[in-house]
Amino acid sequence: MTDSARDRELDLVLYGATGFVGRLLADYLARTAPDGVRIALAGRSHTKLEALRTTLGPRAVDWPILIADSQDPLALVELVARTHVVATTVGPYAKYGAELVNACVAAGTDYVDLTGEVLFARDSIDAHHEKARTNGVRIVHSCGYDSIPSDLGVHVLHQAVQADGAGDLGETTLVASLRGGVSGGTIDSLRTQIDASKKDRALRRLAASPYSLSPDRTKEPDLGRQSDVAVVDGADIAPEARGWKAPFVMASYNTRVVRRSNALRGWAYGRKFKYREVMSVGDSRLSRLFAGGVAAVLGGLVLGLSVRPTRYVLDRILPAPGEGPSEKTQSNGYFVMDIYTTTTTGARYASRVKAQGGDPGYRATAVMLGESALSLVLDRDRLPDEAGVLTPATALGDVLVDRLRRAGLEISARRL
């Protein structure tokens, strides 16, 4: 953060507060943010923001309301100049996020978001990483279920291996178990990326590259084919990972974030670090059939949204932007992310990131984004000495691990 950014009237602005996840984040901050943290609600509609504020209880009654459209650069410049940190839930970020990132980098304002869009993150890196480093700004993408469990899970796994002097990370696989729903915003982000890739063959190749978010893809190791859509026998992962595993819907994004963390740290996880993500469908004798079914459904969804006639039908079935899982679905949701590795010395380790009692993509995401923002507001002196367009692990590291543990998440690592 630049010297001119230190004396500002606000600590944190929640941009997109009236959206589905924005409301959850506002509620979380109203209940848990320490006294004295100066928070404002921001968006396009004063009426909607004011109505939201009345639902947040007495701690939020004096929160200011700020108005700025995502496509109005001057309004965004004025907004970010008033605060130390912006947390935004306004997506798809490729449509609505670029001007806000640009304003934050120019003003010396730290930034966190929830993007799971490879092409948006790549554009942000190319446009802003060097200037953000120069300005001492942390632009931290993907501070929700995409991709904090993946990024911090590998972070603590690496720490455990290093503490034991057990070599570097080698073959590493995340196995996701979860229950939750999907929002219209997530579907809209998928549509946006599909549309961009259809128009430009170079963008399709970029999105498909396992190192699409790396600082310099030419310096990455050649580790052979790294597929993000695979049905995998759990026995090939670890003895503890019983049953066949299905493709994980966010693997094609999370894996690139984790690889960026490794590269930004000078390949600290190891030059032979090979990373993938899959999803559990149980360990019965039918698990291979179930895993194949999930792969077919995911492939069919992408294909269906790529073709005009089937997209027309899907658009009327899938949740619309602004819609999301029911209160019951959110309350009954959970996730467990187990990450297994075999190190270069042959030792086996595992880490776990777990949240109970909260839909992973929404209620638990509000916790993760809220604590990411509060890390930047309250714990700057303990954060890694980094600036630029960063990942959760490289920007927030152990500070965020500690905060999430206090918020009720399990984040652990052990030798097997």
Side-chain angles (χ1 to χ4, degrees):
M1 185 180 295
T2 61
D3 290 339
S4 62
R6 296 185 187 279
D7 185 19
R8 297 187 176 180
E9 64 185 280
L10 297 168
D11 296 309
L12 173 60
V13 168
L14 167 50
Y15 187 64
T18 60
F20 186 80
V21 183
R23 294 193 301 270
L24 297 174
L25 176 57
D27 176 72
Y28 179 75
L29 292 171
R31 290 184 289 107
T32 65
D35 292 337
V37 177
R38 302 165 299 170
I39 300 173
L41 303 173
R44 292 184 301 172
S45 170
H46 191 283
T47 300
K48 291 181 179 180
L49 289 165
E50 193 169 37
L52 169 66
R53 187 173 59 179
T54 64
T55 71
L56 299 177
R59 299 188 71 221
V61 68
D62 294 324
W63 286 3
I65 290 174
L66 309 179
I67 305 302
D69 188 279
S70 63
Q71 305 302 307
D72 185 342
L74 292 178
L76 293 175
V77 166
E78 292 178 4
L79 183 149
V80 303
R82 299 173 65 176
T83 185
H84 294 293
V85 180
V86 170
T88 175
T89 65
V90 179
Y93 291 90
K95 287 183 179 179
Y96 305 119
E99 291 291 352
L100 182 58
V101 176
N102 185 61
C104 285
V105 172
T109 300
D110 290 338
Y111 165 106
V112 291
D113 71 18
L114 297 174
T115 191
E117 304 164 44
V118 169
L119 298 179
F120 169 76
R122 183 70 253 175
D123 285 346
S124 177
I125 292 163
D126 292 341
H128 301 299
H129 181 65
E130 291 305 323
K131 186 173 181 181
R133 288 183 66 188
T134 299
N135 289 0
V137 181
R138 293 177 174 91
I139 303 297
V140 194
H141 296 305
S142 313
C143 291
Y145 187 55
D146 315 316
S147 302
I148 278 177
S150 306
D151 207 28
L152 294 188
V154 174
H155 169 76
V156 299
L157 184 68
H158 165 68
Q159 288 183 322
V161 170
Q162 291 296 296
D164 291 346
D168 294 329
L169 303 184
E171 292 272 357
T172 304
T173 302
L174 179 149
V175 180
S177 301
L178 66 150
R179 179 193 296 141
V182 65
S183 78
T186 299
I187 298 297
D188 205 26
S189 292
L190 177 59
R191 288 190 194 96
T192 300
Q193 182 143 307
I194 288 172
D195 289 344
S197 298
K198 283 171 60 179
K199 294 175 183 177
D200 190 326
R201 183 178 298 177
L203 292 181
R204 286 199 299 275
R205 289 197 298 268
L206 176 62
S209 167
Y211 299 113
S212 54
L213 300 184
S214 295
D216 185 345
R217 283 179 288 153
T218 66
K219 294 182 180 179
E220 291 284 5
D222 183 2
L223 300 176
R225 187 169 181 267
Q226 299 186 67
S227 175
D228 295 315
V229 184
V231 174
V232 179
D233 186 351
D236 293 335
I237 299 171
E240 297 82 1
R242 293 184 294 272
W244 285 78
K245 310 304 176 187
F248 180 44
V249 65
M250 287 309 302
S252 60
Y253 185 74
N254 294 336
T255 53
R256 287 144 175 78
V257 172
V258 171
R259 292 176 193 129
R260 178 168 176 80
S261 291
N262 187 33
L264 286 173
R265 289 173 162 170
W267 293 277
Y269 302 160
R271 296 288 295 181
K272 296 182 179 180
F273 172 65
K274 192 172 183 179
Y275 182 68
R276 63 183 174 181
E277 296 188 349
V278 294
M279 182 172 67
S280 175
V281 291
D283 58 5
S284 74
R285 284 180 291 181
L286 296 176
S287 63
R288 187 171 190 174
L289 179 63
F290 294 154
V294 170
V297 168
L298 292 176
L301 177 61
V302 173
L303 179 61
L305 289 173
S306 303
V307 180
R308 183 174 295 178
T310 49
R311 175 183 281 201
Y312 179 85
V313 175
L314 289 171
D315 283 349
R316 279 145 186 79
I317 298 172
L318 296 169
E323 297 178 357
S326 67
E327 181 66 27
K328 181 178 179 181
T329 298
Q330 292 180 53
S331 298
N332 292 335
Y334 71 88
F335 71 81
V336 181
M337 316 287 266
D338 288 310
I339 307 175
Y340 301 94
T341 194
T342 300
T343 74
T344 52
T345 65
R348 292 198 310 115
Y349 284 76
S351 64
R352 168 170 283 188
V353 181
K354 176 180 177 181
Q356 203 73 32
D359 179 285
Y362 305 100
R363 184 165 292 182
T365 278
V367 176
M368 290 184 274
L369 181 60
E371 295 299 338
S372 297
L374 291 173
S375 296
L376 291 168
V377 171
L378 299 172
D379 299 311
R380 294 192 60 82
D381 292 343
R382 299 196 299 119
L383 292 174
D385 186 18
E386 299 288 346
V389 180
L390 305 172
T391 62
T394 56
L396 309 173
D398 291 338
V399 169
L400 183 56
V401 171
D402 292 343
R403 280 194 159 274
L404 292 176
R405 283 171 174 162
R406 292 196 297 270
L409 275 70
E410 176 186 342
I411 304 177
S412 61
R414 69 192 190 281
R415 185 165 187 160
L416 298 173

